[in-house]
Amino acid sequence: MSSYKDRIRSLYFISQPTFWRMVSSDQLPKNYDFAEVEERWRGTWRDEDHYFDSNSNKPQFVIDTPPPYPTGNFHIGNALNWCYIDFLARYKRMKGFNVMFPQGWDCHGLPTEVKVEELNHITKNDVSREEFRKMCRELTEKNIIQMRLTLRKMAFSIDWSNEYITMMPDYYSKTQLSFLRMLKTGYIYQSEHPVNYCTRCETAIAFAEVAYDERETQLNYFDFHGIEIATTRPELLAACVAVAVHPADERYHFQKGSKLIVPLFGHEVPVVKDEAVDPAFGSGAVMICTFGDKQDVHWWKQHNLGLRKAIDRQGKMTEIAGKYKGMNTTECRNAILADMRSKNILKRQEKLAQRVGTCWRCKTPIEILSERQWFVKIKPDEIQNAAHQITWYPGHMLLRMENWVDQMEWDWCISRQRIFATPIPVWFCKKCGEMVTPADEDLPVDPTMVMPKYACLKCRNREFDGEVDVLDTWMDSSISVLNVTGWDGSGTPPYFPAQIRPQGHDIIRTWAFYTILRSVALTGSKPWEEILINGMVLGEDGFKMSKSRGNIIVPEEILQKYGADALRQWAAMGAATGSDIMFNWNDVIAASRFQTKMWNIARFVLIQLKKEGFDQNAPVTALADRWLLVRLSDTIQQVSTAMECYQFDTALKTIREFAWDTLADNYIELVKGRLYAGDTSRKSALLVLHTAFEAICKMLAPFTPYFAEECYSSLNRDASVHRQPWVSFTYDDEAARIEGNMLVQVAAEIRKYKHDTGRALNAPLGKVTIYTPHTINDEGDTGRTINADIHWRTDTAKLDRVISDIDFNRAVVGPVFRNRAMAFMTAIKALPPEQLINPPETIILEGSEVRIPENSFTPKYSYIEEGAKVDVITIGDVIVTIAKSA
RNA sequence: GGGCUCGUGGUCUAGUCGGUUAUGACGUCGCCCUUACACGGCGGAGGUCGCCGGUUCGAAUCCGGCCGGGCCCA
């Protein structure tokens, strides 16, 4: 079933290569080969062009970029984030800023430790701390190398001279220095305090690392010395330190100082009254244990209760659990329930849906243990204050920060009982316990490997225990901004604060929060002037990408199929800045089609320019030419405005519309006849084509760096678009805007007329007369584009016209007449035709005389043909008559 | 339970400090290979802008309530 179309197409493709070689040696290739182009430019561009210049007197634009975790795979969420960063870095460079786009790597942490254990079939305790660290470092280095390749393919204009790696000595010595500074100023302290603890990872974790999981559990009712208690955690009975009831609960009449005996264990605990007890839950009496949950900690503090540690760091029952000692919590729970049953004190059990805090990494339910840990003081007012001095994009993301800060209850626990992390740089005197810290110039130190250079200041002893705890990785990454702005521990760094922080909304409560906290603590100032939040990337099915759903898309796959520029366009256009964005192959395909279209525009422009170069000073005379310059000027304004407030979707959309609709479909269609014909005004069109095309290249440069470079270099052989200033072209010609719009509309209406009357678009049309209010000089464009014999006239068409309807300008009528607007419109409609054409000054409305506001309505005409000899099209006040062919 | 956010043709999406005919893409249907492009051009069909109520001359847009999704937190 080979149709005519198919046959033509196959012929076309067979003949194409030969045809090509013959005529096109100095022309652009017919197809845009993204793979070839992207690889070629990648090999040509130099890293030095993106270096931050510390000697420059341009205004600085320092970007506090997110250091990714070096997993080895740069995922699509990273890609979105980095695209935003690169759009603004490239834009700001073109705008004349001295831009710093550093690349960091946030190396430390549990995932790498776990991976190393897995790969080497060991556990961290099988080798020395130093050996284990080395294995982690080597794996991380390998992963970084891998990820750098993807970053380069995506054409991110990274300043590689400002790369930082948090596990390297020059970085983590800064982390240690920042620790010592905050220790000195009292922001950091050591204390025994309840902390979230993962017994599988054997480390304390911060609230930000606690995830919540929906689980089903048993609510157990048992007899507690005569009163009924409901608990989900009977294994904590040994840790029971009080029983609490609501003060207004009629069921319980305890005197002040009443005590109860804990079943099975026999220790005595007080009864306390507290408003926070929910009388409707369970039996209305609740046991307080150290610690079942956050509420227990609350009560424990408030009522000054004793401490009973029943669970140790490995999640095993301790000494005070008596015969249950050494069991894990589940074994203990079962054993205690069995014992309760046999003693007949277990009354009943109910199923209960519960949200349980888990370790974000391994999903093990967290325990709250009281431990000696290191903490950073959280001062909510300071943080709120700094957060409010930062401009948030989009604005509502500030609320997330406010809410998070408002509900902070505990200080930030920064110590971890792990290995691959920044060591806490302190020692303790073996004799008197005094804490000793290293001198600044001795950093970095690993206190488990080296000893202080001095004797204990207090007791002159020379033997010390090095701190074995290490720092939370957020302690590393929360000074990223201090690092890139040149902090050396002494006051405010030279480039501080940074201009912008780009990051995802998922880490507002961690990275953004901790960074603000640390900047305020160490410099007294906000860390950045602006923060730009990007959304999460969802799978094509609208769900979060996950292995189990099988909806993961990796950037490498897109790069390979459609190239970096198409992926970057998807990132810009997929959604408004800050919104979550669904991955969509269609958008990537549409992006690559846009490149094809632009490529063909480039070929057209080049072919025309090659015929006879263009004259930079040619007078722009023809209406279509002036019109395009007006539209270009508008486009540049709109795109620039969008870029200034990081609305990348609006910016790229505006560029695409201008290139595709305005330039290709309207303008080129109008002027190609003039270009082919070689009219005198050909030079005018060439100059306009050149101007518009060059401007599009520049505007596309931040979004599609490879493609823009390829196009631009076809115009200017030895120049890079990435070293050009941003477009600043303006052109003001109101008459050209209005008349040009009319011209385009007339051409469109005539095309539609041909379509409706069953003609081919290039079919000749005979005599067409266009009646306009003003004289139009279109240099013959309209006639050629629609293939007709066009006559422009300014006199009145000899047609019978009748008013068919009235267009009201509601923006005028509404405010003037308010609730009488409807009555006004009815009254106008009732006027006789001659008064609609020449309206009176006033009209009678509900008995009173009112002025008719200017521009409040326009009559709509329809025309009666003169002896059926012409077809008539009306466009506003323009009338087009088309002679009917015999 | 609280906070934030979203709900627009089959799908995704723009517009959201009120104003005439609601944007674009993909898909779909029809016509057309015209010296840049069929990876194209032109045209069409397809929407009670989640539901209900209110404010207003006028509501996708503002207000209230409800329903449903997502994120964050208890």
Side-chain angles (χ1 to χ4, degrees):
Chain A
M1 49 166 263
S2 96
S3 67
Y4 173 72
K5 269 187 196 173
D6 291 337
R7 273 183 288 129
I8 291 290
R9 196 170 300 166
S10 62
L11 279 173
Y12 177 77
F13 279 114
I14 291 163
S15 62
Q16 181 187 326
T18 342
F19 171 77
W20 252 126
R21 263 174 246 128
M22 284 162 65
V23 288
S24 64
S25 56
D26 63 337
Q27 289 176 4
L28 298 179
K30 192 168 170 73
N31 295 309
Y32 180 73
D33 179 356
F34 73 84
E36 185 274 323
V37 171
E38 295 190 357
E39 201 185 328
R40 174 155 44 80
W41 286 115
R42 195 157 54 242
T44 312
W45 289 334
R46 299 175 319 138
D47 284 351
E48 296 77 40
D49 291 342
H50 303 139
Y51 287 177
F52 178 77
D53 179 2
S54 51
N55 297 315
S56 168
N57 49 19
K58 292 176 181 176
Q60 71 167 41
F61 193 82
V62 175
I63 309 171
D64 179 23
T65 55
Y69 198 78
T71 56
N73 293 309
F74 192 76
H75 63 75
I76 193 149
N78 295 137
L80 176 69
N81 196 181
W82 262 251
C83 282
Y84 284 7
I85 299 169
D86 199 50
F87 300 155
L88 66 94
R90 289 181 182 276
Y91 172 70
K92 289 290 178 181
R93 263 186 224 113
M94 293 175 88
K95 287 292 279 186
F97 287 87
N98 181 24
V99 171
M100 190 199 291
F101 178 173
Q103 178 61 48
W105 302 98
D106 183 20
C107 310
H108 289 136
L110 206 50
T112 299
E113 292 192 12
V114 172
K115 195 83 196 165
V116 161
E117 288 176 329
E118 230 176 77
L119 289 173
N120 298 287
H121 309 290
I122 54 164
T123 72
K124 67 179 162 90
N125 303 323
D126 296 343
V127 293
S128 72
R129 278 172 81 92
E130 198 39 42
E131 177 70 9
F132 191 73
R133 249 182 220 173
K134 195 176 150 228
M135 292 165 127
C136 291
R137 259 198 315 271
E138 284 168 0
L139 174 66
T140 304
E141 276 164 13
K142 222 174 74 195
N143 287 342
I144 289 175
I145 290 168
Q146 193 65 35
M147 292 172 81
R148 280 187 191 132
L149 289 175
T150 311
L151 291 171
R152 283 188 183 277
K153 275 193 203 161
M154 291 206 60
F156 297 135
S157 57
I158 289 166
D159 174 359
W160 291 103
S161 72
N162 274 296
E163 186 183 33
Y164 63 89
I165 301 175
T166 61
M167 67 178 181
M168 293 309 207
D170 60 337
Y171 191 96
Y172 83 79
S173 62
K174 285 188 190 175
T175 306
Q176 291 189 326
L177 187 58
S178 71
F179 173 92
L180 293 174
R181 288 285 178 278
M182 287 174 70
L183 183 64
K184 212 179 210 171
T185 51
Y187 268 96
I188 287 179
Y189 62 94
Q190 222 196 150
S191 155
E192 171 146 353
H193 187 276
V195 290
N196 296 303
Y197 203 94
C198 175
T199 54
R200 198 212 68 91
C201 303
E202 291 181 42
T203 184
I205 57 174
F207 265 112
E209 294 164 294
V210 177
Y212 292 86
D213 238 10
E214 203 77 53
R215 298 199 179 176
E216 190 173 84
T217 184
Q218 297 269 358
L219 185 60
N220 308 284
Y221 291 80
F222 67 99
D223 184 58
F224 194 114
H225 196 78
I227 68 169
E228 194 178 66
I229 294 269
T231 181
T232 56
R233 304 205 56 189
E235 69 273 21
L236 282 172
L237 202 53
C240 179
V241 291
V243 167
V245 294
H246 194 276
D249 196 329
E250 304 259 316
R251 289 170 290 181
Y252 305 109
H253 303 281
F254 289 106
Q255 298 300 318
K256 212 174 173 172
S258 295
K259 304 252 174 181
L260 292 172
I261 306 288
V262 177
L264 301 184
F265 292 91
H267 61 282
E268 218 181 40
V269 295
V271 177
V272 299
K273 297 190 176 184
D274 197 294
E275 303 270 347
V277 178
D278 178 4
F281 183 80
S283 59
V286 57
M287 67 172 188
I288 301 174
C289 306
T290 52
F291 296 94
D293 58 19
K294 224 169 124 185
Q295 184 61 45
D296 280 344
V297 179
H298 219 87
W299 282 325
W300 172 73
K301 273 191 189 166
Q302 196 149 1
H303 298 284
N304 218 0
L305 301 168
L307 180 68
R308 292 177 66 88
K309 298 190 192 184
I311 299 173
D312 71 9
R313 291 174 169 216
Q314 280 81 41
K316 298 267 162 56
M317 303 312 293
T318 65
E319 206 73 44
I320 66 161
K323 68 174 195 178
Y324 308 102
K325 183 191 167 186
M327 294 183 180
N328 68 31
T329 51
T330 317
E331 290 162 355
C332 179
R333 175 182 312 192
N334 293 336
I336 284 185
L337 287 173
D339 289 348
M340 282 180 168
R341 252 185 227 108
S342 65
K343 294 209 164 167
N344 210 19
I345 57 172
L346 184 65
K347 300 297 181 194
R348 62 186 196 279
Q349 296 179 302
E350 279 173 9
K351 284 201 168 137
L352 182 72
Q354 188 193 34
R355 238 171 233 214
V356 55
T358 62
C359 171
W360 71 285
R361 180 53 50 188
C362 69
K363 296 289 163 213
T364 307
I366 53 132
E367 294 293 346
I368 298 176
L369 303 184
S370 183
E371 291 283 334
R372 190 209 64 143
Q373 300 285 348
W374 293 87
F375 294 89
V376 167
K377 237 177 225 156
I378 290 172
K379 302 183 182 175
D381 292 348
E382 263 182 19
I383 298 167
Q384 292 284 25
N385 186 27
H388 280 264
Q389 288 171 31
I390 297 162
T391 309
W392 292 69
Y393 294 95
H396 68 83
M397 290 294 178
L398 171 60
L399 279 165
R400 296 209 184 182
M401 176 64 76
E402 289 178 337
N403 292 346
W404 177 247
V405 179
D406 274 348
Q407 55 95 62
M408 290 304 306
E409 285 186 59
W410 302 353
D411 285 338
W412 172 20
C413 174
I414 54 167
S415 45
R416 298 288 181 273
Q417 292 70 51
R418 298 297 307 184
I419 296 173
F420 187 48
T422 301
I424 294 178
V426 301
W427 298 268
F428 297 96
C429 175
K430 270 192 175 167
K431 211 161 147 195
C432 70
E434 179 73 359
M435 178 167 57
V436 175
T437 57
D440 292 356
E441 58 271 22
D442 293 333
L443 295 176
V445 298
D446 182 347
T448 62
M449 303 294 289
V450 296
M451 282 296 126
K453 292 182 174 169
Y454 328 92
C456 172
L457 290 172
K458 212 165 159 191
C459 71
R460 313 309 302 168
N461 178 37
R462 283 193 158 274
E463 294 205 300
F464 298 90
D465 286 321
E467 172 62 273
V468 291
D469 280 6
V470 292
L471 289 172
D472 179 3
T473 49
W474 293 111
M475 280 293 281
D476 299 340
S477 58
S478 56
I479 59 160
S480 62
V481 65
L482 292 170
N483 175 60
V484 299
T485 53
W487 188 72
D488 59 5
S490 57
T492 308
Y495 308 114
F496 187 86
Q499 274 54 58
I500 198 165
R501 152 67 67 87
Q503 66 161 74
H505 62 62
D506 55 331
I507 51 173
I508 287 174
R509 65 195 179 120
T510 48
W511 196 37
F513 172 76
Y514 291 141
T515 304
I516 294 175
L517 187 166
R518 301 260 272 148
S519 291
V520 172
L522 289 161
T523 71
S525 158
K526 64 180 176 187
W528 344 274
E529 286 160 7
E530 301 180 329
I531 181 166
L532 172 65
I533 302 294
N534 65 272
M536 300 294 105
V537 179
L538 309 174
E540 278 198 290
D541 53 6
F543 290 99
K544 213 171 181 171
M545 286 193 189
S546 72
K547 271 185 195 151
S548 56
R549 283 191 196 275
N551 60 352
I552 295 180
I553 305 278
V554 296
E556 287 289 344
E557 185 186 353
I558 306 164
L559 290 176
Q560 199 241 321
K561 287 183 178 157
Y562 295 96
D565 287 331
L567 173 52
R568 293 170 60 109
Q569 285 192 65
W570 162 81
M573 295 270 285
T577 311
S579 315
D580 287 352
I581 166 171
M582 216 184 278
F583 181 75
N584 187 350
W585 281 108
N586 273 339
D587 290 346
V588 179
I589 294 165
S592 109
R593 283 206 191 138
F594 171 64
Q595 284 164 204
T596 305
K597 185 70 187 183
M598 266 304 291
W599 188 242
N600 282 299
I601 294 171
R603 292 179 59 225
F604 179 80
V605 172
L606 263 286
I607 289 166
Q608 296 308 322
L609 288 172
K610 286 252 165 69
K611 280 187 188 162
E612 94 188 66
F614 83 109
D615 180 356
Q616 188 76 63
N617 299 311
V620 174
T621 49
L623 174 57
D625 300 346
R626 286 156 55 216
W627 172 77
L628 191 79
L629 292 183
V630 170
R631 296 297 300 267
L632 174 64
S633 176
D634 291 350
T635 302
I636 292 167
Q637 288 309 308
Q638 286 161 19
V639 172
S640 303
T641 306
M643 292 302 280
E644 285 299 325
C645 46
Y646 312 123
Q647 290 172 343
F648 305 120
D649 58 327
T650 311
L652 182 54
K653 197 175 159 189
T654 307
I655 300 168
R656 277 201 203 171
E657 276 171 9
F658 176 75
W660 204 316
D661 302 346
T662 310
L663 177 63
D665 292 347
N666 294 322
Y667 177 75
I668 292 181
E669 286 305 320
L670 267 176
V671 303
K672 76 209 273 196
R674 170 152 45 111
L675 288 165
Y676 297 149
D679 272 24
T680 44
S681 58
R682 186 171 190 277
K683 278 189 180 351
S684 165
L686 281 182
L687 174 58
V688 168
L689 270 182
H690 186 275
T691 308
F693 183 71
E694 195 174 47
I696 294 172
C697 289
K698 288 184 188 174
M699 287 189 283
L700 279 177
F703 295 106
T704 58
Y706 295 118
F707 182 76
E709 188 78 315
E710 184 72 1
C711 288
Y712 190 82
S713 73
S714 68
L715 278 187
N716 306 279
R717 249 188 213 299
D718 300 314
S720 168
V721 73
H722 301 297
R723 274 183 236 159
Q724 305 306 312
W726 183 251
V727 268
S728 59
F729 175 83
T730 55
Y731 189 87
D732 193 18
D733 187 340
E734 204 47 35
R737 182 202 305 283
I738 294 164
E739 288 168 11
N741 284 342
M742 184 272 291
L743 202 66
V744 167
Q745 226 181 328
V746 166
E749 287 295 334
I750 294 176
R751 271 185 216 118
K752 194 178 168 199
Y753 169 82
K754 285 188 175 183
H755 180 268
D756 292 348
T757 53
R759 281 169 243 226
L761 290 178
N762 58 346
L765 205 54
K767 185 181 172 187
V768 172
T769 312
I770 308 174
Y771 297 89
T772 60
H774 312 286
T775 315
I776 301 285
N777 171 22
D778 74 338
E779 300 281 357
D781 289 340
T782 319
R784 278 183 297 253
T785 200
I786 59 173
N787 196 10
D789 176 21
I790 297 267
H791 298 260
W792 294 91
R793 290 174 59 169
T794 51
D795 57 330
T796 316
K798 290 203 175 58
L799 296 162
D800 297 323
R801 68 175 182 184
V802 291
I803 293 167
S804 59
D805 199 4
I806 298 163
D807 276 345
F808 287 98
N809 187 346
R810 280 157 219 268
V812 172
V813 175
V816 172
F817 293 100
R818 295 281 154 195
N819 57 359
R820 293 191 302 165
M822 204 61 87
F824 170 77
M825 293 192 280
T826 313
I828 291 292
K829 278 183 192 161
L831 289 173
E834 62 275 15
Q835 289 203 13
L836 286 170
I837 296 160
N838 291 305
E841 294 236 326
T842 60
I843 192 172
I844 303 298
L845 192 59
E846 290 168 345
S848 59
E849 192 174 7
V850 295
R851 271 184 62 83
I852 298 177
E854 237 173 279
N855 299 321
S856 56
F857 70 91
T858 349
K860 263 170 87 174
Y861 301 103
S862 65
Y863 294 86
I864 294 169
E865 310 161 9
E866 212 174 43
K869 282 196 181 135
V870 293
D871 282 330
V872 181
I873 305 168
T874 64
I875 306 146
D877 50 9
V878 174
I879 299 161
V880 180
T881 66
I882 301 162
K884 287 197 164 182
S885 44

